[in-house]
């Protein structure tokens, strides 16, 4: 019997998940090391005490109390719930599962409670919700340890790109509503892929437009300006296949040939963080560089260019790409002029 007890205690000690047991009178019988760490308790001080003495008198355990009390009053039922505890040792994100602990002759002997630390999983879910389905999952993993920075916001130098579709209005006049939706989904998917492939973040879709950004947070081993330029060229490389798809699936020839894209890229300081109401918050960037990228995208139409970049972007990417200078121009909504360059190809 002593040997079995030692094996039982060794198993509990080695478990990564927390385990605690209560008898039906609410007395704490077992508390393994993982449970002690997660709940910030000392086993020697609490084992043998009643549940009320250990948990009910401490407001920090209030989210846990509801689950445990329900388990004591309904021991024949398995309960499961996610709870967040604010303890002196830190915030604990836990999955709490309770089930019946059998006694003699199949009578209930008490309740066993399993505690799993799900803080990592909760962060993953939060980040996936923030960044959507087009972001490279490796970037999500990289950000898990930086969730606090996402919530608080930070200043950083980033490269922002705005992409807009030319010729869509003419195409939409020829298509049924269901075909318009199908085309837009295909277009957005094709144009978003190079962003994720080059460690960028697809920030938002604005009708048939796309806003994306690159920053050291997401591309620690790469130059954001270089990655943004590479993504823009890859988007242009997809245009022939996109036009062919339009001709094949929607049977429109002239409208397919008229499909074009324009891109504006700017580099500068931005404020990055999680913005918006609590129920619809998203990670984004704001600042002068964002406005400049949007103005450059629009300036393509006036200059007859396809990919227009700012002076700062050119300075960071000039040794990797071929550019054509377009001089200094005035941009709507900006007090100062901007020296701009057309991105042509990668060297």
């Amino acid at each position: 019997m002593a040997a079995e007890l030692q094996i039982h205690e060794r198993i509990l000690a080695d478990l990564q998940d927390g385990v605690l047991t209560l008898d039906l009178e609410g007395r704490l019988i077992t508390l393994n090391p993982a449970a002690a760490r997660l709940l910030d308790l000392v086993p020697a001080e609490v084992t043998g005490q009643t549940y009320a003495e250990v948990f009910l008198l401490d407001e920090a355990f209030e989210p846990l109390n509801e689950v445990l009390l329900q388990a004591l009053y309904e021991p024949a039922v398995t309960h499961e719930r996610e709870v967040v505890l604010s303890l002196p040792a830190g915030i604990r994100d836990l999955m709490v599962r309770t089930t019946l602990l059998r006694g003699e002759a199949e009578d209930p002997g008490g309740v066993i409670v399993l505690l799993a630390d799900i803080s990592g999983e909760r962060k993953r879910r939060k980040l996936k919700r923030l960044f959507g389905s087009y972001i490279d999952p490796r970037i999500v993993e990289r950000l898990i340890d930086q969730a606090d920075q996402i919530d608080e916001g930070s200043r950083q130098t980033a490269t922002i790109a705005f992409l807009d579709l030319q010729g869509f209005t003419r195409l939409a006049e020829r298509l049924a509503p269901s075909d318009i939706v199908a085309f837009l989904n295909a277009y957005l998917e094709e144009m978003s892929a190079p962003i994720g492939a080059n460690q960028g973040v697809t920030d938002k879709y604005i009708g048939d437009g796309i806003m994306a950004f690159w920053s050291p947070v997401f591309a620690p081993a790469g130059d954001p300006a270089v990655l943004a330029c590479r993504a823009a060229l890859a988007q242009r490389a997809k245009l022939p296949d996109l036009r062919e798809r339009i001709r094949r699936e929607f049977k429109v020839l002239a409208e397919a040939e008229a499909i074009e894209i324009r891109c504006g890229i700017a580099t500068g300081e931005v404020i990055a963080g999680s913005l918006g109401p609590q129920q619809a918050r998203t990670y984004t960037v704001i600042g002068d560089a964002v406005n400049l990228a949007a103005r450059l995208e629009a300036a393509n139409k006036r200059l007859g260019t396809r990919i227009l970049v700012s002076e700062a972007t050119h300075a960071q990417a000039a040794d990797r790409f071929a550019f054509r200078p377009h001089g200094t121009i005035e941009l709507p909504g900006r007090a100062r002029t901007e020296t701009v360059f057309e991105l042509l190809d990668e060297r």
Side-chain angles (χ1 to χ4, degrees), residues 16-33:
Q16 295 297 314
D17 290 340
V19 178
L20 63 91
T21 58
L22 304 165
D23 63 22
L24 292 184
E25 295 178 355
R27 188 173 291 104
L28 188 60
I29 306 301
T30 305
L31 184 77
N32 78 335

Side-chain angles (χ1 to χ4, degrees), residues 115-172:
L115 306 171
D117 186 349
I118 60 168
S119 55
E121 180 59 31
R122 189 184 291 271
K123 288 179 181 178
R124 285 182 176 86
R125 290 202 302 266
K126 175 182 177 181
L127 290 168
K128 287 178 180 178
R129 186 176 67 252
L130 283 173
F131 296 108
S133 59
Y134 288 105
I135 192 171
D136 188 322
R138 292 170 297 179
I139 298 174
V140 176
E141 295 296 329
R142 207 177 291 143
L143 278 169
I144 286 173
D145 294 332
Q146 303 174 16
D148 292 340
Q149 180 181 341
I150 290 173
D151 286 333
E152 294 173 2
S154 64
R155 290 184 182 274
Q156 53 187 258
T157 298
T159 296
I160 297 89
F162 276 83
L163 184 75
D164 194 45
L165 179 63
Q166 176 183 316
F168 173 66
T169 301
R170 181 179 173 185
L171 176 64

Side-chain angles (χ1 to χ4, degrees), residues 159-218:
T159 296
I160 297 89
F162 276 83
L163 184 75
D164 194 45
L165 179 63
Q166 176 183 316
F168 173 66
T169 301
R170 181 179 173 185
L171 176 64
E173 291 173 351
R174 294 287 308 276
L175 300 181
S178 59
D179 288 337
I180 293 174
V181 171
F183 164 73
L184 279 177
N185 285 334
Y187 159 76
L188 294 174
E189 182 177 359
E190 289 291 327
M191 295 298 127
S192 297
I195 297 170
N198 287 280
Q199 304 179 52
V201 177
T202 300
D203 184 285
K204 60 176 66 73
Y205 300 108
I206 312 162
D208 56 25
I210 301 174
M211 173 186 165
F213 66 87
W214 287 257
S215 76
V217 175
F218 298 90

Side-chain angles (χ1 to χ4, degrees), residues 24 56 65-77 79 111:
L24 292 184
L56 284 183
N65 290 336
E66 187 175 343
V67 187
L68 296 187
L69 285 173
Q70 192 175 21
L72 289 173
Y73 286 117
E74 301 179 60
V77 181
H79 304 279
V111 174

